[in-house]
Amino acid sequence: MAHEQPYIAVVGPGTPDAALEALAEEVGRHVAIAGGVLICGGLDGVMAAASRGAAQAGGLALGILPGSDRRAANRWVQVAVATGVGELRNALLVRAADVVVAIGGAFGTLSEIAFALKTGVPVVGLRTWDLAAAGARHSIEVASDAPDAVRRALHHASG
């Protein structure tokens, strides 16, 4: 049943470097192979790379878009949800997920991490914000690579 599949959000910058983009694609591929639903912001960068990885591995990529036009989604998103609420969609994305995988990140990624930690959604990080160094009470579970990130995410999603 679809509702039993883990819903794994992948968040990160819209303009990543090549290494982060490759990492996001690999995470998306592993999410699909594990039978998870990949959720992302639906646009470019980490979102497109993760969607591409999931789609090419036969998985489902769901994009929660900031604008009102579903056609704005990257070409690998199979289900596009146009919210029309701008960056507020970051909270919707987090609330739709069982777990968040943060890859790299700018301030949009930081807001998604904050929403997740505030609402009790686990966060697994790959080369992302180091909240523990900033003295945060909650922190991100650090993964060593893409397979480790998805393994950790699946553990959280099942628990």
Side-chain angles (χ1 to χ4, degrees):
M1 297 167 97
H3 66 280
E4 292 180 14
Q5 294 173 279
Y7 280 50
I8 300 173
V10 175
V11 301
T15 54
D17 62 26
L20 282 181
E21 192 169 326
L23 196 57
E25 185 171 349
E26 187 178 1
V27 166
R29 183 172 53 255
H30 284 283
V31 167
I33 290 167
V37 173
L38 182 122
I39 304 173
C40 69
L43 300 176
D44 297 326
V46 161
M47 299 168 279
S51 299
R52 181 174 57 243
Q56 290 177 347
L60 178 65
L62 165 67
I64 300 180
L65 303 166
S68 298
D69 185 359
R70 288 190 305 266
R71 295 172 296 182
N74 70 64
R75 67 184 178 136
W76 297 283
V77 166
Q78 293 102 333
V79 179
V81 178
T83 66
V85 297
E87 294 303 318
L88 294 176
R89 72 80 150 80
N90 292 356
L92 299 173
L93 190 153
V94 167
R95 296 299 288 174
D98 297 316
V99 61
V100 172
V101 176
I103 301 171
F107 290 125
T109 308
L110 181 58
S111 75
E112 290 158 328
I113 291 168
F115 282 129
L117 294 176
K118 175 78 174 163
T119 59
V121 176
V123 180
V124 176
L126 285 166
R127 295 181 48 199
T128 194
W129 292 87
D130 184 358
L131 301 183
R137 190 182 63 177
H138 303 289
S139 70
I140 299 164
E141 185 174 334
V142 178
S144 59
D145 58 18
D148 183 43
V150 174
R151 190 171 31 258
R152 290 170 185 267
L154 290 169
H155 172 76
H156 286 294
S158 68

